[in-house]
Amino acid sequence: MSVEQRLITPGALDKIPARKSNLGQAVFQVPLYLNQEKIYHARRPHKKSRAGCLTCKKRRVKCDEGKPVCVKCQKYGALCSYATVSYENGSIAGVASSMQKPESITFSFSLDDLATRIEEILKLDTGTNASLVERNASHPVSMIAFQQFLKGATDTVANPSLRAVMRSDMIRVSFTSPYLMYTILAVGILHLNRISPGNKTWQLAETYYWQRAIKLYQAALTSNVTPQNVDSLLSTCMFMGVTALCPENIKPTDSWVLSDKPDAMNWLCLQSGLRCIITLAQSYLDSSIWGSTFQQAHKDEQQFLKRVVPEGREGLDPDLADLCGIDDSTTAKTNPYYEPLRLYTALCQLERNWENSAKCAEFMGKLTNEFLALLRRRDPPALLIMAQWMGLMCTLSHWQPWVFGRLVTECTAICMYLKNDPDPRISRLLKFPASACGYSSQNISQNTRVWIS
């Protein structure tokens, strides 16, 4: 089953509606069966599911509360996500009422003290909007966003070591860094806006928090990396690309592939930012809060890459290898396509689960500047590699629901751009990503030849 039951017909570029990246909400269109009599049955006694996933609650069916994905969502191919706070008609009071007990492993101070600390650090920024920070109401938006980051947003991080640092040492650092605090608030309120859209106050807060976080972070980057700021710079960089991956409204014609907007590919370029910061901060990493976690991640990555053929075309799709000019003597140093194609091929062989879905997501942060330049020029082989990876991520959307925000749409745009290419190899290679992202066109399968390995 495709990730979205929507048919995009050829020539309908301007009629394609914007997609909403509602994290935690399925975007499937369910057919309505009319002119059928309703048959009523007596309702059998059952235990109510009070902590079920959002999708089951919306469909008004009982949820088995399985995590990370419940049985019913697995059965019907729906996007499964759990609310991490309680809501009363989407009101701020409803969210805040569930925030009376901060997690003891993260905080040793009261909620009132926590709110004071957040207010104090943000007041160091002269551009602060007081209405979104000061405790002029019983439950300030900043406090709600902060709690949502801890209880909800960090739950989406599959790596337990990263998640532990985010909930402890990184929080401590945020109380000394306004731009990191703004970033945490922005991620928390973004998560709320995607699982419970429509709250105007939260939407305003998301825009404001991101604006302040980006501005202050850019100013911080003009200074040298030091032992004092390395943790806040690394922490902020890890989340700075989130807003680009989860836009509220986006359609295929917004993609760099189908538009002439110079900044349309910035979302992808942002994902390699952490690699740049780590390079600049290399001499301070040992003493950083992220030091041991990054070192272990690097060891795991090297062990994973050992299983991949270091050179040649063995194990690669023959058509894609031919299109990329890869032969038995090709290496990453001689061919810009080789490294991403080799990595994608290895990721495809992993078992589909939560932990590996996070490993697959790291692909976009490993792209070289040379390969990004090929994508910017709409180079067909580079686009095909990117579409293959995006299709893979679409099949992992149970564990990485942000895929519905950007990748589904970008994958659709690539399929639309390449669908009329006369090369039958391209037509065949487009079939998987087109099916995975929900794009369907007769042109995709037209003139496709049967490939025999």
Side-chain angles (χ1 to χ4, degrees):
M1 177 180 291
S2 63
V3 297
E4 186 174 0
Q5 295 173 337
R6 181 175 300 179
L7 181 67
I8 303 177
T9 57
L13 299 186
D14 298 329
K15 298 180 180 180
I16 299 174
R19 299 173 184 265
K20 291 183 178 294
S21 61
N22 299 332
L23 295 186
Q25 294 188 355
V27 292
F28 296 93
Q29 294 180 345
V30 181
L32 300 177
Y33 298 96
L34 305 178
N35 300 324
Q36 294 184 5
E37 289 187 14
K38 294 182 179 180
I39 302 175
Y40 294 92
H41 300 280
R43 190 178 184 188
R44 291 181 292 181
H46 66 283
K47 180 181 177 181
K48 290 186 177 180
S49 172
R50 301 187 183 278
C53 75
L54 295 173
T55 306
C56 287
K57 286 181 179 180
K58 208 167 186 182
R59 296 174 61 228
R60 297 184 179 181
V61 297
K62 184 179 179 181
C63 181
D64 69 295
E65 301 177 18
K67 294 183 179 180
V69 184
C70 73
V71 171
K72 281 192 168 60
C73 286
Q74 281 183 321
K75 180 179 179 181
Y76 294 104
L79 183 62
C80 185
S81 182
Y82 288 85
T84 55
V85 292
S86 302
Y87 299 95
E88 295 175 7
N89 297 325
S91 67
I92 293 179
V95 176
S97 66
S98 67
M99 300 179 178
Q100 301 306 312
K101 295 181 180 179
E103 297 177 14
S104 59
I105 61 173
T106 307
F107 300 106
S108 60
F109 41 85
S110 67
L111 279 179
D112 188 61
D113 189 24
L114 173 59
T116 301
R117 289 170 182 247
I118 294 175
E119 183 179 337
E120 287 175 351
I121 186 61
L122 293 186
K123 278 187 175 179
L124 295 178
D125 170 29
T126 56
T128 298
N129 184 327
S131 64
L132 296 175
V133 176
E134 291 181 354
R135 289 174 292 161
N136 55 357
S138 57
H139 304 291
V141 179
S142 57
M143 183 65 176
I144 294 170
F146 190 83
Q147 287 281 339
Q148 181 63 21
F149 175 84
L150 285 174
K151 293 185 176 182
T154 55
D155 281 340
T156 65
V157 179
N159 187 308
S161 298
L162 287 175
R163 191 166 61 247
V165 176
M166 289 175 184
R167 290 175 170 174
S168 56
D169 288 337
M170 193 184 80
I171 296 301
R172 172 180 54 78
V173 173
S174 73
F175 286 106
T176 65
S177 170
Y179 59 83
L180 176 55
M181 177 60 77
Y182 272 124
T183 302
I184 288 173
L185 299 181
V187 173
I189 206 69
L190 179 148
H191 194 262
L192 269 178
N193 280 333
R194 300 308 182 269
I195 64 176
S196 183
N199 188 305
K200 299 298 183 182
T201 301
W202 294 350
Q203 291 172 352
L204 172 63
E206 180 185 334
T207 301
Y208 172 72
Y209 290 148
W210 278 121
Q211 186 269 334
R212 297 308 303 163
I214 293 171
K215 184 173 182 178
L216 296 177
Y217 179 60
Q218 287 176 327
L221 288 176
T222 61
S223 304
N224 294 328
V225 179
T226 67
Q228 289 71 38
N229 66 12
V230 62
D231 290 331
S232 54
L233 286 173
L234 286 171
S235 301
T236 301
C237 187
M238 292 175 69
F239 292 100
M240 194 51 68
V242 171
T243 182
L245 288 174
C246 306
E248 278 205 274
N249 297 285
I250 186 173
K251 54 187 178 181
T253 49
D254 294 326
S255 170
W256 91 92
V257 182
L258 298 178
S259 74
D260 293 323
K261 300 175 183 177
D263 60 345
M265 211 179 88
N266 283 358
W267 69 272
L268 185 56
C269 298
L270 278 173
Q271 310 311 315
S272 59
L274 183 61
R275 187 176 63 209
C276 299
I277 298 294
I278 289 177
T279 301
L280 294 173
Q282 193 66 47
S283 58
Y284 308 123
L285 284 182
D286 288 342
S287 59
S288 168
I289 61 174
W290 299 106
S292 60
T293 302
F294 284 176
Q295 288 175 6
Q296 185 59 49
H298 180 69
K299 290 180 181 178
D300 293 343
E301 180 182 358
Q302 293 303 310
Q303 187 175 4
F304 167 69
L305 290 177
K306 282 182 181 179
R307 304 201 305 264
V308 186
V309 180
E311 61 181 31
R313 55 186 282 150
E314 182 181 350
L316 303 180
D317 183 293
D319 282 347
L320 197 46
D322 288 341
L323 286 168
C324 294
I326 295 174
D327 56 32
D328 291 334
S329 63
T330 300
T331 66
K333 292 182 179 180
T334 61
N335 189 304
Y337 305 106
Y338 190 76
E339 192 71 23
L341 181 54
R342 182 166 67 97
L343 179 56
Y344 163 74
T345 303
L347 293 174
C348 285
Q349 299 170 7
L350 294 175
E351 180 185 352
R352 306 294 168 87
N353 57 38
W354 186 38
E355 183 178 354
N356 287 337
S357 71
K359 186 184 295 291
C360 292
E362 295 172 0
F363 173 89
M364 57 185 168
K366 301 181 184 301
L367 301 179
T368 64
N369 290 333
E370 191 174 6
F371 187 78
L372 290 173
L374 291 170
L375 289 174
R376 194 178 295 278
R377 295 200 298 268
R378 304 181 181 92
D379 175 71
L383 290 177
L384 279 171
I385 294 174
M386 204 66 193
Q388 296 294 318
W389 170 75
M390 289 176 176
L392 172 64
M393 290 305 302
C394 287
T395 68
L396 299 171
S397 58
H398 283 313
W399 299 283
Q400 303 293 332
W402 55 268
V403 167
F404 287 100
R406 171 72 70 174
L407 295 194
V408 168
T409 305
E410 295 285 352
C411 188
T412 299
I414 293 177
C415 291
M416 296 170 70
Y417 181 78
L418 294 176
K419 69 180 181 181
N420 293 321
D421 193 289
D423 192 325
R425 296 172 298 180
I426 292 180
S427 296
R428 183 188 69 79
L429 291 165
L430 280 178
K431 293 183 72 174
F432 165 66
S435 174
C437 74
Y439 177 69
S440 177
S441 170
Q442 292 180 351
N443 290 27
I444 292 296
S445 57
Q446 188 176 14
N447 297 327
T448 300
R449 295 182 301 182
V450 177
W451 172 67
I452 302 176
S453 58

